[in-house]
Amino acid sequence: MDAALRIALCQVTSTADPAANLELVRTWTADAAARGARVVVFPEATMAHFGVKLAPLAQPLDGPWASEVAAIAQSHGVLVVAGMFTPDGDRVRNTLLVTGPGEHRGYDKIHLYDAFGFHESATVAGGEQLVTVDVDGVRLGVATCYDVRFPGLFQQLAEAGTQAVAVPASWGAGEGKREQWDLLTRARALDSGNWILACGQADPAAAGVEVNPKAPTGVGYSTVADPFGVPRAQAGAAPELVIADIDPAVADASRRATGALANRKLR
C-alpha cells in the first residue's frame, strides 16, 4: 500500500459554543496530524450541535470560525473537513468546510433531513453542487449525514473520479438507527466503489454533554468501510480518534468486480 492515504475520523461531541468547539478542532487536529493523518474529518455540526438556534451562530466561509479552522489545517499541513452553518437569508446552510493547504471551500448538504419526525428544511436551505478535492493523488468527495441514504449521490461522485467519500454526520438516535448507520455506510461503499469515511458525533451521554434530547445529536460508531463494503475500522459510542490507511487502488478493484457503475441502467 505505497499509495495509501492516512485519514483520521475525529468522533467528538460538539457543544452549543462555537469557540469551545473550535478548541476541539485545534486539539484533535494536532493529535491526528501527529499520528500521520493527511485528511482529518470531523462530524456534521462541529461548529455547534443541533438543538439550538442555528441562524445566530451561522458565519460565512470567510468568517472568523472557518478562517481559524483554515489556520489550524494550514499549520499542520492537513486537509480538515468539519461541519458548520453558513447564512442563507432567514435560514442557514448545513455546510461542510473543506480546508487546508491550497483549499478552502464548502459543500452544502443536498438532502435535508425531513424524516423521522424532523423537518430540517424549515430552517436549512439545501445545496445542489457536488464537491471533490484531491489529496496526495486521491480524489475525495464529501457528503453529509442524511445524504448517505441516497446512492445516486455517491455514484455521481464516483463518476467524478472519487476513490473515497467523507461523510460527516450527527446521526439521530432511536430504534434501529445505529443498525441503519452501519448498513448504509457499508452499502454506499459497495454500490459506489468508494472508501466511506463516516465520521459521526459521539453519543452525548457517553461524553457527559447535555443536549436537547429531541435533536439528532449523534450515536457514535464512526466507520471506515472499504469499497467492497467491509468495515476496516469503527469507533464505539464515546469520543474517539480513528486512524486508518486507505488504498485508492481498492476502489478500482471494487468497481471492476461489481460492475455497479458500468452496468447501471437507471440514473
Side-chain angles (χ1 to χ4, degrees):
M1 291 178 54
D2 292 340
L5 178 70
R6 179 160 290 184
I7 63 93
L9 305 183
C10 299
Q11 182 174 283
V12 299
T13 296
S14 299
T15 71
D17 180 2
N21 298 330
L22 188 61
E23 292 309 307
L24 287 176
V25 173
R26 189 185 314 279
T27 301
W28 286 65
T29 299
D31 191 5
R35 297 176 62 178
R38 294 282 293 126
V39 176
V40 183
V41 185
F42 287 86
E44 177 187 25
T46 294
M47 182 187 201
H49 62 53
F50 288 114
V52 299
K53 291 185 181 299
L54 299 175
L57 300 175
Q59 296 180 17
L61 288 172
D62 61 356
W65 198 87
S67 296
E68 188 58 31
V69 176
I72 293 167
Q74 184 74 30
S75 70
H76 293 287
V78 300
L79 185 80
V80 170
V81 181
M84 62 176 294
F85 301 101
T86 53
D88 190 293
D90 293 334
R91 297 189 290 175
V92 302
R93 288 183 180 258
N94 187 341
T95 301
L96 293 181
L97 172 63
V98 181
T99 189
E103 296 289 344
H104 190 79
R105 66 179 89 175
Y107 163 74
D108 295 328
K109 185 180 182 182
I110 292 174
H111 300 97
L112 300 181
Y113 190 46
D114 291 352
F116 292 97
F118 295 95
H119 193 52
E120 187 176 19
S121 63
T123 56
V124 177
E128 298 178 349
Q129 300 298 319
L130 303 184
V131 169
T132 67
V133 60
D134 294 335
V135 182
D136 297 350
V138 176
R139 182 158 293 175
L140 176 72
V142 291
T144 307
C145 200
Y146 190 57
D147 281 335
V148 80
R149 293 184 180 272
F150 300 89
L153 172 59
F154 291 77
Q155 291 176 329
Q156 285 189 38
L157 286 168
E159 289 175 338
T162 61
Q163 291 105 2
V165 181
V167 187
S170 185
W171 201 252
E175 184 179 357
K177 292 297 296 297
R178 185 203 152 184
E179 290 79 5
Q180 292 174 32
W181 169 252
D182 289 340
L183 174 64
L184 290 164
T185 53
R186 295 172 64 185
R188 295 298 79 81
L190 184 59
D191 58 29
S192 71
N194 276 300
W195 287 87
I196 299 297
L197 317 176
C199 184
Q201 293 267 350
D203 184 341
V209 176
E210 291 188 10
V211 296
N212 182 339
K214 296 182 179 180
T217 49
V219 298
Y221 297 95
S222 297
T223 300
V224 176
D226 76 17
F228 286 95
V230 177
R232 295 292 189 95
Q234 187 174 66
E240 185 174 341
L241 179 64
V242 176
I243 302 288
D245 293 324
I246 65 169
D247 182 355
V250 181
D252 295 332
S254 170
R255 292 165 191 170
R256 287 194 303 269
T258 68
L261 297 180
N263 297 331
R264 197 159 53 120
K265 301 299 182 184
L266 300 177
R267 298 175 185 269

